[in-house]
Amino acid sequence: MKTGREVGIAGYGVYIPAPRIDARTIAAAWGRSPDTRLPVREKSVPAADEDTVTMAIEAARGALRRSRAGPSAVRAVWVGTESKPYAVKPSSTIVAEAIGATPWVSAADLEFACKAGSEAMQTACAFVGSGMAEYALAIGMDAAQSKPGDHLEFTAAAGGAAYLFGPAADALALVEGSRSFVTDTPDFFRRQHMHYPEHGHRFTGEPSYFRHTLEASRGLLEALGRVPSDYRWAVFHQPNPKFMRKVAAELGFGEAQIAPGAVVDRIGNTYSGASLLGLAAFLDAARAGDRIFFCSYGSGAGSDAFSLVATARLEAARDAAPSVADYLERRQPIPDYGAYLRMTRAIRML
Amino acid sequence: MTVELPRYHRLRGAYYRLEGSACPACPGRYFPPRAVCPACRTAGLRMFAFCGRGTLYSFSRVLQPPRGFASMAPYAVGMVRLEEGPLISCQLADTDGVDLSIGMPVEMVTRKLRDAEEHGYIVYGYKFRPRLGRAR
Ligand SMILES: [Zn+2]
């Protein structure tokens, strides 16, 4: 898919909360042997005063700081998440108000499991690319929920990123094209009154993550007439360190192309935020002319693929807001499993 | 805990964006916003958004929190000298394991100010935290 007029990322910002829980602390609480192989070493957890809205606000402010846009020029604020603080009441209006984009702005929360953030990116691209708006903000942010004791508890993490799309003249990275691939696949779901999602076990992996990521990625490469070696960097949805590496290898991307964006290795799976955070890590490092390949995945299921190329403006704008590395280095270890349960409100105050 | 919803809503410019007021007749800058300049008595002050950077003027750790703040404890409160001049009192964020010191650079963040009860309204607003990343 291509836009009517050329569009780019005019600003980006990220957020990762400081608290971290060691995977061994979780394993010990559930009586697992200390030799158990764990998917990640530790994961990020929101502080008691943080949620998807507060994290999205900080990422959005970072995106504006790196851009030339004033807040009142932002014509849309879309928040993709599966951890809205309110069941009924948009998160996006609070974010829009906090950054000063209200009242002449479109706003909505988008839902599509871990693909909600990249869906917001597609939509923001179209809003700017059609000429309806000069700037539109797409956010993917999650404070992921996991059932205590479930294996997802080791990886369900918190964080994400915000991308301000704008005209090509303002771009830190240009969008060369995008592609979406979606089918009805029952791999992961949560009903209205359940606190935690369920897996459709026989649908995880091959028919879901791999199929959709491969199809969307190959579809975009084909449409643009490109091959993996045309890209300096590539980022995929990263529910764990293994899936992303396997899918990258299958497409023909090497470890050197994906390693700097493997944020999952450091903080776990940030769901709607995961692929967007990985992309930000590459924008933190890219030189003008570097091509970046991006493909998300969300259960349900679908993938959005983007091809981007960094511009000469990127390096000058980079230091206007904290980098992914700044947030990765800011760590506050959580002392024990009890403190973790209290912070994540798994213990409910009656 | 009763959330004073109308008051919170009316003050959201101050809570969310650190909007105070500036005097058109003298260098006076005020937070929270005022209608009349206490320095020169000029009325009709204009809205002024503070940049959100400042330094820590004083602080203390709260171990026995008041009602409505139980899940946040232990936390810290402080006074911050904003870059533009005013001194404001606020909660401090992300201070666990951090050596707070007078004069340290801090910056405004938006956080939940009180316990978000399962059935209640979530109050978001400004807090200050140790400034992150390289000096900006
Ligand atoms: Zn005055």
Side-chain angles (χ1 to χ4, degrees):
Chain A
M1 295 188 278
K2 287 211 170 192
T3 48
R5 67 162 172 168
E6 227 186 340
V7 172
I9 292 170
Y12 70 99
V14 301
Y15 190 73
I16 299 166
R20 303 283 199 279
I21 181 130
D22 193 308
R24 288 167 303 185
T25 306
I26 298 173
W30 295 100
R32 303 262 195 118
S33 132
D35 308 324
T36 312
R37 267 195 55 134
L38 301 169
V40 294
R41 212 162 48 80
E42 62 178 17
K43 68 166 186 174
S44 57
V45 178
D49 61 357
E50 296 183 296
D51 62 18
T52 294
V53 164
T54 67
M55 298 194 295
I57 290 170
E58 181 153 342
R61 286 185 178 136
L64 279 171
R65 277 194 203 124
R66 283 192 173 104
S67 80
R68 290 170 172 165
S72 60
V74 178
R75 285 286 166 273
V77 175
W78 288 309
V79 178
T81 183
E82 49 181 318
S83 49
K84 294 157 48 116
Y86 287 103
V88 176
K89 186 189 184 311
S91 308
S92 50
T93 54
I94 309 169
V95 176
E97 187 77 49
I99 63 170
T102 48
W104 297 105
V105 63
S106 285
D109 293 8
L110 275 67
E111 246 177 76
F112 194 144
C114 303
K115 191 177 95 71
S118 58
E119 187 65 43
M121 287 165 60
Q122 287 282 34
T123 314
C125 250
F127 222 49
V128 176
S130 69
M132 280 177 71
E134 281 299 282
Y135 298 100
L137 186 64
I139 301 173
M141 189 65 66
D142 260 311
Q145 304 285 303
S146 59
K147 197 184 285 180
D150 187 279
H151 75 269
L152 286 183
E153 192 180 16
F154 291 113
T155 50
Y163 289 93
L164 184 71
F165 286 85
D170 272 12
L172 312 183
L174 289 166
V175 176
E176 297 185 305
S178 64
R179 203 95 197 249
S180 295
F181 182 87
V182 165
T183 70
D184 177 22
T185 305
D187 58 333
F188 195 64
F189 44 85
R190 178 172 73 85
R191 294 297 299 268
Q192 183 91 53
H193 298 290
M194 302 297 289
H195 286 300
Y196 305 108
E198 297 288 334
H199 306 270
H201 285 284
R202 57 183 292 264
F203 292 99
T204 55
E206 285 307 329
S208 49
Y209 178 87
F210 291 99
R211 177 177 176 219
H212 293 81
T213 306
L214 291 171
E215 292 282 1
S217 298
R218 286 178 180 144
L220 180 60
L221 289 170
E222 197 174 306
L224 295 173
R226 292 258 168 70
V227 292
S229 57
D230 294 333
Y231 292 86
R232 172 107 195 262
W233 316 107
V235 61
F236 299 93
H237 178 51
Q238 24 197 289
N240 54 52
K242 258 198 265 175
F243 275 30
M244 168 189 56
R245 291 184 164 87
K246 193 177 163 203
V247 89
E250 202 157 333
L251 284 164
F253 290 98
E255 177 70 16
Q257 284 165 293
I258 63 167
V263 179
V264 63
D265 298 352
R266 306 278 303 274
I267 57 160
N269 177 11
T270 54
Y271 286 51
S272 305
S275 49
L276 280 71
L277 260 180
L279 174 58
F282 288 126
L283 293 176
D284 284 345
R287 298 285 185 85
D290 282 359
R291 279 218 168 78
I292 307 170
F293 190 85
F294 168 100
C295 187
S296 65
Y297 172 73
S299 297
S303 290
D304 298 309
F306 284 81
S307 178
L308 300 151
V309 58
T311 72
R313 287 205 60 232
L314 177 61
E315 288 179 65
R318 190 174 283 154
D319 289 341
S323 66
V324 174
D326 288 332
Y327 287 100
L328 288 174
E329 282 155 25
R330 185 185 72 134
R331 290 173 63 257
Q332 174 54 47
I334 300 171
D336 53 63
Y337 193 72
Y340 166 72
L341 287 184
R342 189 160 53 91
M343 286 170 68
T344 56
R345 292 172 189 266
I347 299 174
R348 281 162 202 283
M349 310 266 194
L350 297 176
Chain B
M1 183 190 84
T2 44
V3 177
E4 301 159 72
L5 193 50
R7 180 183 146 79
Y8 167 58
H9 186 71
R10 186 163 40 79
L11 290 176
R12 65 195 189 283
Y15 272 114
Y16 289 178
R17 299 185 297 268
L18 222 56
E19 286 174 4
S21 49
C23 179
C26 80
R29 303 268 186 275
Y30 305 102
F31 191 92
R34 288 169 176 266
V36 176
C37 178
C40 72
R41 303 268 151 221
T42 299
L45 303 197
R46 38 192 183 80
M47 188 277 280
F48 178 83
F50 289 90
C51 76
R53 287 186 302 271
T55 50
L56 194 55
Y57 180 83
S58 70
F59 63 91
S60 68
R61 301 259 180 193
V62 176
L63 300 173
Q64 300 281 328
R67 213 173 134 73
F69 295 85
S71 73
M72 310 281 181
Y75 60 92
V77 295
M79 306 273 292
V80 166
R81 175 73 72 190
L82 296 176
E83 243 175 47
E84 297 90 343
L87 196 58
I88 74 173
S89 66
C90 56
Q91 285 187 53
L92 302 176
D94 301 337
T95 60
D96 280 2
V98 174
D99 249 338
L100 294 173
S101 60
I102 305 295
M104 79 188 291
V106 293
E107 63 190 346
M108 186 269 276
V109 291
T110 305
R111 295 290 175 91
K112 293 191 283 189
L113 293 187
R114 294 178 172 223
D115 283 356
E117 292 175 4
E118 294 244 323
H119 307 288
Y121 194 79
I122 306 171
V123 177
Y124 295 101
Y126 58 84
K127 292 189 183 183
F128 282 77
R129 69 148 180 233
R131 212 176 291 170
L132 184 64
R134 288 148 287 183
R136 269 179 297 278

